């Protein structure tokens, strides 16, 4: 599985809870999918996790189903909607009409809240995005055939604190990042902190390979251990979330969950200092071990 596929798999774990966010995510998908017109919606993907998410997402957002679902063993997953009533439901949801629309634009009223804006970014990336294997180079892009949409997405990204670049490639508008830190922040914001951590680890390893200093090599080993431990802890939190157990946790364990998810890059020593009040390293480690045990029970 490619690094881009891994990132999309992680994003598809995000629960579909609020209807407003479901609509915003679906909006991003429609604006960045293969076709969104008054006569048809057509979404094509190679991601099995994205394909599994789409029917639930559109049901939550619009209470509609796809007219055509992927065929078994087709390689790529293709979804389409041709029913006039369903298409009218989609266009009405975004306060526009196909007969009056010469070019797609983002309806900013759909993304006034930060969580909805993030959901739009996630949908756009799932439908039209890719990220390069960080062991080779740093590059994340989101592509669409709608020039106005691409420009308006960049405006939203700037408002959210990101600084993307733009280009045109064979009639396609591309919004992209080439700095590792920007890609890390973007993936984390979308809901893929493990992919961001893998990128950070790959960058650290690149830096470390350029030096033969024993201290640096030692730091690399510690970084690997930190990343592996954090990945295991966050996977445990995801399992608890899927089972609906997070809300019932004691306050101390909830604090450990919040700190680990908010700071995936920090070490155990750094996390325990962020507790209120600060706790010992062994005490915080005990909380994380408890979360691991609960996720496996």
């Amino acid at each position: 599985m490619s690094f881009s596929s891994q990132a999309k798999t992680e994003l598809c774990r995000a629960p579909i809870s609020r209807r407003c966010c479901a609509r915003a995510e679906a909006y991003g998908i429609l604006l960045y999918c293969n076709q969104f017109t008054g006569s048809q919606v057509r979404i094509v993907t190679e991601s099995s996790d994205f394909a599994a998410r789409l029917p639930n997402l559109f049901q939550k957002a619009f209470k509609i189903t796809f007219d055509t679902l992927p065929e078994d063993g087709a390689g790529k997953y293709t979804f389409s909607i041709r029913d006039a009533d369903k298409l009218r439901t989609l266009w009405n949801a975004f306060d526009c009409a196909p007969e009056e629309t010469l070019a797609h634009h983002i309806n900013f009223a759909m993304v006034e809240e930060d969580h909805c804006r993030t959901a739009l970014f996630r949908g756009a990336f799932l439908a039209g995005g890719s990220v390069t294997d960080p062991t080779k180079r740093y590059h994340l892009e989101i592509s669409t055939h709608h020039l106005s949409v691409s420009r308006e997405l960049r405006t939203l990204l700037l408002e959210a604190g990101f600084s993307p670049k733009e280009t045109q490639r064979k009639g396609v508008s591309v919004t992209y990042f080439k700095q590792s830190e920007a890609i890390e922040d973007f993936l984390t914001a979308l809901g893929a902190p493990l992919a961001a951590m893998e990128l950070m680890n790959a960058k650290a390893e690149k830096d470390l390979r350029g030096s033969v200093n024993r201290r640096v090599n030692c730091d690399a080993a510690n970084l690997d251990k930190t990343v592996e431990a954090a990945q295991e802890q966050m996977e445990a939190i995801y399992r608890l979330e899927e089972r609906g157990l997070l809300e019932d946790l004691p306050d101390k364990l909830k604090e450990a969950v919040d700190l680990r998810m908010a700071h995936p890059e920090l070490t155990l020593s750094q996390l325990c200092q962020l507790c209120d009040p600060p706790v010992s390293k062994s005490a915080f480690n005990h909380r994380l071990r408890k979360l691991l045990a609960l996720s496996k029970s």
Side-chain angles (χ1 to χ4, degrees):
M1 182 184 292
S2 68
F3 180 72
S4 189
S5 296
Q6 291 175 9
K8 291 186 179 183
T9 293
E10 186 178 359
L11 289 177
C12 288
R13 293 177 185 150
I16 305 171
S17 52
R18 298 175 176 173
R19 191 181 185 198
C20 62
C21 290
R23 287 196 168 196
E25 183 175 328
Y27 195 23
I29 291 169
L30 290 168
L31 293 173
Y32 279 80
C33 71
N34 299 75
Q35 184 178 354
F36 177 32
T37 66
S39 60
Q40 179 178 215
V41 165
R42 186 167 179 266
I43 305 170
V44 181
T45 180
E46 295 181 354
S47 169
S48 59
D49 295 280
F50 182 34
R53 183 177 180 83
L54 277 170
N56 295 331
L57 181 69
F58 274 65
Q59 181 63 38
K60 176 73 174 183
F62 314 108
K63 299 187 184 303
I64 64 173
T65 58
F66 288 97
D67 296 331
T68 303
L69 296 173
E71 298 179 3
D72 292 337
K76 290 186 177 181
Y77 304 90
T78 302
F79 298 80
S80 67
I81 297 174
R82 291 179 178 272
D83 181 86
D85 290 336
K86 294 178 183 179
L87 291 169
R88 192 176 301 111
T89 296
L90 293 178
W91 285 86
N92 289 342
F94 306 129
D95 196 25
C96 54
E99 62 273 9
E100 300 173 0
T101 302
L102 298 177
H104 278 298
H105 289 273
I106 295 177
N107 183 346
F108 289 99
M110 295 285 299
V111 289
E112 290 181 346
E113 301 293 336
D114 290 347
H115 48 81
C116 291
R117 183 174 59 190
T118 299
L120 176 82
F121 296 159
R122 181 167 56 248
F125 179 77
L126 286 171
S130 63
V131 57
T132 304
D133 185 342
T135 61
K136 298 176 181 178
R137 64 190 180 103
Y138 307 125
H139 184 86
L140 182 150
E141 66 176 45
I142 309 176
S143 306
T144 180
H145 293 284
H146 311 298
L147 176 60
S148 297
V149 169
S150 183
R151 289 176 174 172
E152 289 157 1
L153 182 78
R154 183 173 184 272
T155 298
L156 289 173
L157 287 167
L158 289 170
E159 290 178 357
F162 300 103
S163 299
K165 296 182 179 180
E166 286 185 298
T167 189
Q168 294 287 312
R169 187 188 302 145
K170 296 181 180 180
V172 175
S173 299
V174 181
T175 305
Y176 68 95
F177 299 98
K178 294 191 76 70
Q179 293 185 336
S180 61
E181 292 84 359
I183 299 173
E184 292 163 12
D185 292 342
F186 186 65
L187 289 174
T188 300
L190 262 59
L194 296 181
M197 289 176 62
E198 189 170 338
L199 193 154
M200 285 186 274
N201 193 33
K203 181 184 177 183
E205 289 180 356
K206 282 183 181 180
D207 293 340
L208 292 171
R209 279 197 295 267
S211 173
V212 296
N213 184 278
R214 177 189 288 181
R215 174 67 178 274
V216 176
N217 287 335
C218 180
D219 289 344
N222 290 335
L223 177 60
D224 286 341
K225 292 179 181 178
T226 299
V227 170
E228 290 174 4
Q231 287 178 330
E232 183 182 15
Q233 293 153 9
M234 295 179 73
E235 288 288 357
I237 293 170
Y238 278 130
R239 289 195 294 271
L240 291 172
E241 182 180 42
E242 291 172 356
R243 291 159 56 189
L245 299 179
L246 291 184
E247 292 300 323
D248 297 327
L249 293 176
D251 290 342
K252 291 181 179 180
L253 293 186
K254 286 183 179 179
E255 183 182 46
V257 168
D258 292 341
L259 288 174
R260 173 44 80 198
M261 296 302 288
H263 306 283
E265 77 286 358
L266 296 187
T267 64
L268 199 63
S269 298
Q270 293 170 319
L271 288 174
C272 68
Q273 294 303 311
L274 295 179
C275 291
D276 186 17
V279 298
S280 67
K281 182 177 177 180
S282 61
F284 195 79
N285 189 38
H286 176 74
R287 297 179 187 180
L288 293 176
R289 288 202 306 270
K290 182 65 175 177
L291 290 172
L292 289 172
L294 288 173
S295 72
K296 296 175 182 178
S297 61

